[in-house]
Amino acid sequence: GEKGRLLFQIIDTEQSWVVELDGKTSSVIRGTTSDAETTLSLEDEDLTALARGETSVRELYTRGKLRVDGNMQFAYLLDFFVGLA
């Protein structure tokens, strides 16, 4: 599996969440990090829809609802997104 950190920045609530991947498991902590592979910036309602499987990273990005900084491929390869794309 993939290893690394993914940072979600929630634009409208100014909150941040870090998804930490070690290759087998993942954990989510509230906060920020300076060494994320990829930073995803989006609004709270879009993150909720993503988590529920109602949309995908690709769809949000295409509609201009998601900004991706860093490794774009990392966002698509993560186990976290399996089933959502």
Side-chain angles (χ1 to χ4, degrees), residues 3-77:
K3 293 185 180 184
R5 289 189 176 132
L6 183 68
L7 176 63
F8 283 93
Q9 291 185 326
I10 315 307
I11 302 163
D12 49 341
T13 62
E14 297 184 4
Q15 294 181 22
S16 297
W17 301 88
V18 179
V19 179
E20 180 87 42
L21 300 144
D22 70 5
K24 294 180 181 169
T25 60
S26 61
S27 61
V28 180
I29 55 169
R30 191 172 180 167
T32 188
T33 181
S34 59
D35 63 350
E37 293 281 335
T38 308
T39 299
L40 303 176
S41 303
L42 69 171
E43 292 193 357
D44 189 51
E45 67 178 349
D46 294 322
L47 178 60
T48 300
L50 185 64
R52 289 181 178 160
E54 296 166 358
T55 189
S56 67
V57 171
R58 189 178 301 275
E59 183 179 340
L60 288 174
Y61 183 79
T62 302
R63 289 171 46 213
K65 297 262 191 179
L66 173 69
R67 178 177 162 181
V68 180
D69 293 295
N71 186 345
M72 179 75 132
Q73 286 304 113
F74 189 70
Y76 290 123
L77 292 173

Side-chain angles (χ1 to χ4, degrees), residues 53 79-85:
D79 292 342
F80 183 76
F81 292 121
V82 170
L84 299 185

